[in-house]
Amino acid sequence: MSTVVIDVSELRSFDGDCVKDLADFLESRLDGTVVLAKKEVTLEFEEGKAASRSCLRLLLRKFLHREDLKEDFRVISGGENVFIVKERKEYSE
């Protein structure tokens, strides 16, 4: 069984309902189990049925776009099986 962890601690502090919406979105699109924890969403896949990293990243970015959060958050890699939904920094001119 392969596992992918998505750190949503910054997204949770922004809007707690967004994390449940993310879990529902991923569960509807992936062939795996979605487990919610306090600061992370864990995706568990059976052997041979795991989604590729690029597919997972794309789905996370699609979710941010759909929820109109694309301007506020971005998806970065935190390691081999870890993604982080990070708040964008605001720059002043």
Side-chain angles (χ1 to χ4, degrees), residues 4 51-58 76-83:
V4 176
S52 67
R53 289 183 54 75
S54 59
C55 175
L56 290 173
R57 182 179 174 91
L58 180 67
I76 61 172
S77 175
E80 187 164 328
N81 288 329
V82 179
F83 289 100

Side-chain angles (χ1 to χ4, degrees), residues 9-62:
S9 55
E10 292 187 24
L11 185 62
R12 181 175 292 283
S13 65
F14 179 76
D15 181 9
D17 292 339
C18 243
V19 176
K20 180 162 178 13
D21 293 341
L22 173 63
D24 293 340
F25 178 80
L26 292 173
E27 198 163 32
S28 69
R29 296 213 169 30
L30 295 172
D31 187 24
T33 307
V34 178
V35 180
L36 283 172
K38 238 179 185 179
K39 295 184 177 183
E40 61 188 33
V41 175
T42 305
L43 305 171
E44 297 174 351
F45 299 101
E46 294 180 23
E47 291 300 321
K49 294 194 175 191
S52 67
R53 289 183 54 75
S54 59
C55 175
L56 290 173
R57 182 179 174 91
L58 180 67
L59 283 175
L60 290 171
R61 292 175 69 201
K62 280 185 177 185

